[in-house]
């Protein structure tokens, strides 16, 4: 099989002054992951490494640089799925784990359980030598400034999707990776700080298998956007349903987003890999994504003309 990897680092509106640094962050991540795949490594290792890199990149909303809850705290969610083994590992609401994707992988590989929340997840991390970090070190000045601005603005949670202010629409910065390896196995990983100004305890789509992240023996999928809508749409499963109707990944992705928009609303972007290729689609103005195949050199894009 020819390997393929696609990454995203969020949908929404990327302000002009952040576009170049987003490009650097996502391309650095895809280079690391591509090396794994072209050297015969597994899809699951490639997606884990790509997401780890993006969690460490402070501009993206995952790991260091995660957006803050309305109380100014960090609550990160992550999920990893191995399409070959149907293994799943995930965490919900962790605030002291440097790389939630690494903890998710450890849970997938070492635990009898599948998903842990908060203290249980952090306890599992300590017991399995996954790096714990002071919550303050995950909080950037930019995250603090954005929360301050959010708390002052009119409209409250969810009012930002259609705001005319680009910075208000720029908050759906979940990161994700989907891949197929030389052995034809799929994997997906997604990690997020959630949505800016969320209530404490709120859970988004990222750690919900089949909604924000999914892999099996026919596809690998990762979403970004407003979790409440993605969960209601069960977006990963909608993509799978659409692939049964038309196996073109771009067509299936567009149709799944249309189903979500027509029935539920919201805003989302997604990336998808199947045996027939890959797709990166969105309902927002921008989707930060990068793809790599044996036929193409590094590639990234922010804007595709779809459903603005
Ligand atoms: N898509 C990330 C979240 O809603 O939490």
């Amino acid at each position: 099989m020819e390997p393929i990897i696609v990454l995203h680092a969020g949908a929404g509106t990327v302000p002009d002054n952040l576009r170049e640094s987003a490009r650097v962050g996502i391309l650095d991540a895809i280079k690391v992951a591509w090396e794994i795949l072209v050297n015969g490594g597994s899809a699951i290792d490639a997606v884990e490494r790509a997401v780890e890199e993006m969690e460490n990149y402070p501009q993206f909303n995952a790991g260091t640089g995660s957006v803050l809850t309305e109380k100014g705290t960090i609550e990160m969610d992550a999920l990893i799925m191995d399409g070959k083994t149907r293994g799943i590992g995930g965490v919900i609401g962790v605030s002291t784990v440097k790389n939630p994707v690494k903890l998710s992988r450890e849970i997938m590989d070492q635990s009898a359980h599948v998903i842990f929340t908060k203290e249980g997840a952090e306890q599992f991390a300590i017991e399995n030598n996954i790096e714990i970090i002071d919550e303050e070190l995950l909080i950037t000045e930019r995250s603090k400034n954005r929360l301050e601005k959010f708390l002052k603005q009119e409209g409250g949670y969810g009012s930002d999707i259609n705001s005319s202010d680009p910075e208000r629409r720029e908050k759906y910065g979940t990161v994700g990776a989907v891949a197929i390896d030389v052995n034809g196995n799929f994997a997906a990983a997604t990690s997020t700080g959630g949505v800016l100004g969320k209530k404490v305890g709120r859970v988004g789509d990222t750690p919900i298998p089949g909604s924000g992240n999914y892999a099996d023996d026919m596809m690998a999928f990762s979403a970004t956007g407003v979790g409440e809508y993605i969960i209601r749409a069960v977006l990963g499963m909608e993509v799978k349903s659409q692939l049964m109707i038309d196996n073109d990944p771009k067509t299936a992705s567009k149709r799944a987003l249309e189903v979500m928009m027509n029935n539920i609303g919201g805003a989302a972007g997604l990336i998808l890999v199947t045996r027939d290729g890959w797709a990166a689609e969105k309902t927002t103005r921008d989707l930060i994504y990068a793809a790599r195949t044996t036929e193409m050199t590094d590639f990234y894009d922010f804007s595709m003309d779809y459903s603005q």
Side-chain angles (χ1 to χ4, degrees):
M1 273 308 291
E2 297 285 335
I4 303 174
I5 185 157
V6 188
L7 311 185
H8 72 70
T13 298
V14 183
D16 288 346
N17 62 332
L18 296 178
R19 293 172 93 85
E20 176 56 21
S21 53
R23 188 183 75 86
V24 169
I26 201 162
L27 289 186
D28 281 353
I30 208 162
K31 278 175 193 149
V32 171
W34 181 248
E35 278 307 301
I36 294 172
L37 286 180
V38 285
N39 287 305
S42 65
I44 193 75
D45 285 346
V47 296
E48 181 193 351
R49 276 294 287 126
V51 169
E52 182 188 350
E53 286 288 313
M54 292 190 285
E55 286 176 340
N56 291 341
Y57 199 69
Q59 184 179 325
F60 298 149
N61 172 20
T64 305
S66 285
V67 297
L68 303 179
T69 68
E70 64 175 5
K71 302 284 185 210
T73 54
I74 294 250
E75 292 192 356
M76 301 174 290
D77 303 332
L79 196 84
I80 192 164
M81 288 186 72
D82 186 342
K84 180 182 175 195
T85 62
R86 303 298 175 101
I88 299 180
V91 294
I92 292 176
V94 293
S95 53
T96 62
V97 177
K98 182 160 188 284
N99 291 109
V101 75
K102 289 182 77 170
L103 178 54
S104 298
R105 175 76 188 268
E106 192 72 10
I107 290 167
M108 185 182 89
D109 288 348
Q110 305 299 342
S111 176
H113 303 309
V114 169
I115 298 174
F116 283 91
T117 64
K118 296 176 182 275
E119 297 87 352
E122 288 162 355
Q123 185 58 35
F124 187 91
I126 292 164
E127 287 164 7
N128 289 276
N129 298 318
I130 298 292
E131 188 172 351
I132 293 290
I133 188 171
D134 191 329
E135 182 178 356
E136 281 299 315
L137 295 175
L138 297 170
I139 299 176
T140 60
E141 277 309 304
R142 183 166 168 261
S143 302
K144 287 187 199 165
N145 293 338
R146 289 179 69 196
L147 180 65
E148 202 177 319
K149 197 171 171 194
F150 173 86
L151 292 175
K152 283 188 197 140
Q153 76 199 8
E154 303 272 315
Y157 183 82
S159 66
D160 306 295
I161 297 166
N162 299 313
S163 170
S164 56
D165 176 354
E167 285 199 20
R168 288 187 62 176
R169 287 184 276 127
E170 180 252 322
K171 59 166 71 66
Y172 313 115
T174 298
V175 306
V178 294
I180 182 169
D181 61 31
V182 292
N183 295 311
N185 297 317
F186 293 97
T190 308
S191 181
T192 189
V195 176
L196 175 63
K198 66 185 181 180
K199 295 262 179 220
V200 168
R202 174 264 189 192
V203 180
D205 58 296
T206 298
I208 312 290
S211 283
N213 191 79
Y214 183 74
D216 62 14
D217 57 357
M218 69 180 272
M219 64 182 269
F221 158 90
S222 173
T224 173
V226 187
E228 284 73 7
Y229 297 92
I230 297 168
I231 293 170
R232 289 186 192 114
V234 199
L235 192 58
M237 290 300 92
E238 185 60 47
V239 168
K240 186 165 171 141
S241 303
Q242 295 298 335
L243 281 170
M244 305 285 185
I245 299 166
D246 185 331
N247 62 10
D248 174 55
K250 288 192 195 311
T251 306
S253 299
K254 284 187 177 187
R255 284 193 180 149
L257 287 171
E258 274 162 17
V259 169
M260 185 187 89
M261 293 302 285
N262 292 341
N263 292 294
I264 301 160
L270 66 84
I271 53 175
L272 174 69
V273 172
T274 73
R275 293 189 199 283
D276 294 302
W278 63 277
E281 297 290 338
K282 39 82 175 179
T283 68
T284 51
R285 192 191 85 175
D286 295 332
L287 173 67
I288 303 167
Y289 73 90
R292 186 79 205 259
T293 70
T294 47
E295 283 152 22
M296 59 199 288
T297 55
D298 284 342
F299 171 76
Y300 84 100
D301 196 3
F302 286 117
S303 298
M304 299 189 308
D305 293 323
Y306 177 68
S307 185
Q308 289 221 11

